Amino acid sequence: MKKIHSVAFVLFIATTLSFTTKFSDIQNTITATFIEITNDDFFKFIDADKKEILFYDVIEEVEISLYDDENLNKKFTITWVEKEIELIDEEGDLTGEKKKVKSITSLTLVN
């Protein structure tokens, strides 16, 4: 049930913020292992140097679901862009504050 609630919350946030995001033109690529979805609903990966990387969301065109437990502890090649989002408060209202986050644009399983 918590998983469904988390998915619904992330979809609500993504939909709400889709009108207030600005994508960067620079695409970045990294290979890292998917560890977990954090309590703040970020996708947590660890690279070969044991550095943690948090991703805010995954674009709809990506066919691999990180909500699927089968993808835990698997290594992926991740293409991502940085985007700026406008934060919302607990009631769902825009706060006027902005934050830069990473958004996954492509995800490929590494064998």
Side-chain angles (χ1 to χ4, degrees), residues 13 26 31 33-34 37-38 42-43 46 54 56 62 65-66 71 75-76 80 83 92 97 102 104 107:
I13 297 290
I26 301 171
T31 299
T33 302
F34 178 53
I37 299 173
T38 68
F42 281 83
F43 301 102
I46 303 232
L54 296 175
Y56 175 73
V62 173
S65 173
L66 295 177
N71 290 318
K75 188 181 286 189
F76 293 92
W80 58 276
K83 66 181 180 179
E97 295 179 65
K102 295 175 180 72
I104 297 173
L107 196 59

Side-chain angles (χ1 to χ4, degrees), residues 10 13-14 17-18 20-28 38 40-43 53-59 78-88 97-105:
V10 168
I13 297 290
L17 295 176
S18 65
T20 61
T21 54
K22 182 175 125 182
F23 282 94
S24 165
D25 292 336
I26 301 171
Q27 296 233 354
N28 304 282
T38 68
D40 295 330
D41 292 319
F42 281 83
F43 301 102
I53 306 111
L54 296 175
F55 294 94
Y56 175 73
D57 62 359
V58 181
I59 65 167
I78 307 152
T79 303
W80 58 276
V81 295
E82 191 171 80
K83 66 181 180 179
E84 189 174 81
I85 61 169
E86 189 167 336
L87 301 177
I88 59 172
E97 295 179 65
K98 295 187 179 191
K99 179 178 180 179
K100 288 189 178 185
V101 295
K102 295 175 180 72
S103 180
I104 297 173
T105 58

Side-chain angles (χ1 to χ4, degrees), residues 6-7 15 17 25 39 41-43 47 50 56 60-61 66-67 71 74 82 86 94 97-98 107-108 110-111:
S6 293
V7 171
T15 302
L17 295 176
D25 292 336
N39 290 337
D41 292 319
F42 281 83
F43 301 102
D47 69 7
K50 305 294 183 207
Y56 175 73
E60 289 181 23
E61 289 79 10
L66 295 177
Y67 292 103
N71 290 318
K74 291 193 179 176
E82 191 171 80
E86 189 167 336
L94 296 174
E97 295 179 65
K98 295 187 179 191
L107 196 59
T108 306
V110 175
N111 292 329

